[in-house]
Amino acid sequence: MSFTFLFILGFIGILLVQFLKRPILAMVNDKNKIIRTLSHWAWYQNPWLAGLFIFAVNAVLFSITVFILFLLMYFLIPYLHFVMMVSAVLISLYAWILFNKAWGGTKRDQLIMGAVGSSFYILLTIVFVYWFITLKPDYPGQDLFMAALGLMMAILVTTVAAITCFLFTGFSSKAK
């Protein structure tokens, strides 16, 4: 599989989520306890603080996912890491929907909130691109194919996560 094919698959996934965004948003009840709690906190109505909160939640969710994936390397259960990755995506989408529905400010402030919140994944993408560009063998003759492939996948995943987070937190209107 080429990186271009994977990139196109990721792009199709983003488009699919964008087209199905309203029904996905409608699945979450507005009477959710987390939505009610966040919407009543005054600091959450500040786009910079709300964006930093989303940034922190993204960092925690990503760190937990990476830690669990690291632990799963020690088990010989096939495809369990795919289940974990799909679960992480669904949990992230659910969190972004909650953050969107709890937001009560202006559209401009919502864009700021989404940009600050999704910047975690943008920063990760930049780090992975830097690692990819500076990838060098540790010893003569070392094959870096798998390392390069892993970094390309990481770049793809973090780019898709950044775009999806921004679309859900910065552009979505509340679906009733």
Side-chain angles (χ1 to χ4, degrees), residues 7 10 21 28 38 49 62 66 75 80 88 97 114-115 117 131 140 145-146 152 158 161 172 176:
F7 184 76
K21 188 167 52 173
V28 177
L38 281 176
L49 293 177
F62 184 81
V66 168
F75 298 102
L80 192 57
I97 291 169
W131 286 351
F145 176 76
M146 292 306 290
M152 285 191 284
T158 54
S172 294
K176 300 290 180 191

Side-chain angles (χ1 to χ4, degrees), residues 77-97:
I77 304 171
Y79 305 111
L80 192 57
H81 58 288
F82 286 126
V83 172
M84 179 57 209
M85 290 168 37
V86 168
S87 300
V89 168
L90 294 176
I91 290 169
S92 293
L93 281 173
Y94 183 71
W96 298 333
I97 291 169

Side-chain angles (χ1 to χ4, degrees), residues 59-71:
V60 168
L61 289 175
F62 184 81
S63 299
I64 290 170
T65 302
V66 168
F67 178 71
I68 292 173
L69 287 173
F70 178 75
L71 289 178

